[in-house]
Amino acid sequence: MLNDKIALVTGATRGIGRAIALELGRQGATVIGTATTQDGADRISGFLAEAEIKGKGVVLNVTDVAQTDAALADLAKEFGAITILVNNAGITRDNLTMRMGDDEWDAVIDTNLKAVFRLSRGVMRGMMKARKGRIVNISSTAGIRMTFFGSLDYTVSKHGVAGLNQHLAWELADSNITVNTVCPGGVQTPLMESATTPEYREMTVKRLVPLGRFTKIEEIGEMVSFLA
């Protein structure tokens, strides 16, 4: 159980982030979920309250350094030190490499990699002082073994998370802080349903998923809860 633990989950409005927030809450953690808009933050507060989970949603642009530092300071005052960090927020800006603009590259690297570094750095001091902590990064199979056509920026960002994870795991182990990365393949989310065709999903499952189906978001929530 995760009683008395304070969990911060980025990108918690829907899909994987929402499932993670709910599962951590079911295990007893106080959960703070981030969204990029006030409407998203309100939705997080709503589903947490409906599930009788302590915590709330907050507005946070994870690429904004000043906003990130201020949010972590405010949350520490209100709830205490963050003891579980789940870096889930992520974006894609798919394009062929020869056509990829600097703005597309920067947006993906800033959100998927630099924000993971900043947030991890931001919670370390509190975890090290308490001599306990859990950092879990949500990455992708694109970060360990395969990529997708037109997704160079995304692939590089996820490989970067793998390297960051490996280093932090060694650096923080003496403080009883574990760092892990979950790398899902195809996940059954509303975004997957809206962004792909049934034919593409069938082909992906047949070629790449031994289980023969996409991962359910609840299964990722359970895995993150286990690692936490």
Side-chain angles (χ1 to χ4, degrees), residues 113-133:
L113 179 56
K114 291 173 72 173
V116 175
F117 158 68
R118 291 196 194 102
L119 283 159
S120 298
R121 180 183 62 185
V123 302
M124 279 181 202
R125 188 179 301 276
M127 290 183 177
M128 293 174 78
K129 185 176 181 180
R131 294 201 59 78
K132 61 181 178 181

Side-chain angles (χ1 to χ4, degrees), residues 19-131:
I20 292 169
L22 286 170
E23 184 59 30
L24 293 176
R26 290 189 190 102
Q27 297 302 321
T30 296
V31 180
I32 301 101
T34 78
T36 56
T37 65
Q38 187 60 55
D39 178 66
D42 292 341
R43 292 208 305 273
I44 295 169
S45 296
F47 71 67
L48 291 176
E50 185 178 348
E52 299 183 344
I53 293 169
K54 293 180 292 183
K56 66 177 185 178
V58 297
V59 178
L60 176 61
N61 175 0
V62 296
T63 68
D64 187 314
V65 180
Q67 192 180 129
T68 297
D69 292 343
L72 290 175
D74 291 343
L75 292 174
K77 290 178 183 177
E78 183 175 357
F79 295 101
I82 302 296
T83 48
I84 300 169
L85 169 65
V86 183
N87 287 304
N88 172 69
I91 63 170
T92 61
R93 293 288 187 273
D94 289 355
N95 207 344
L96 294 176
T97 302
M98 65 181 293
R99 297 175 182 169
M100 186 173 292
D102 286 355
D103 56 339
E104 294 170 317
W105 173 274
D106 290 343
V108 172
I109 298 299
D110 285 351
T111 303
N112 296 6
L113 179 56
K114 291 173 72 173
V116 175
F117 158 68
R118 291 196 194 102
L119 283 159
S120 298
R121 180 183 62 185
V123 302
M124 279 181 202
R125 188 179 301 276
M127 290 183 177
M128 293 174 78
K129 185 176 181 180
R131 294 201 59 78

Side-chain angles (χ1 to χ4, degrees), residues 134-170:
R134 300 289 183 262
I135 297 174
V136 184
N137 305 308
I138 305 303
S139 182
S140 165
T141 50
I144 53 174
R145 64 180 174 86
M146 67 180 184
T147 187
F148 300 95
F149 196 68
S151 62
L152 174 69
D153 46 6
Y154 183 82
T155 298
V156 170
S157 73
K158 294 306 184 180
H159 273 269
V161 169
L164 181 148
N165 188 105
Q166 185 177 28
H167 181 90
L168 287 186
W170 281 102

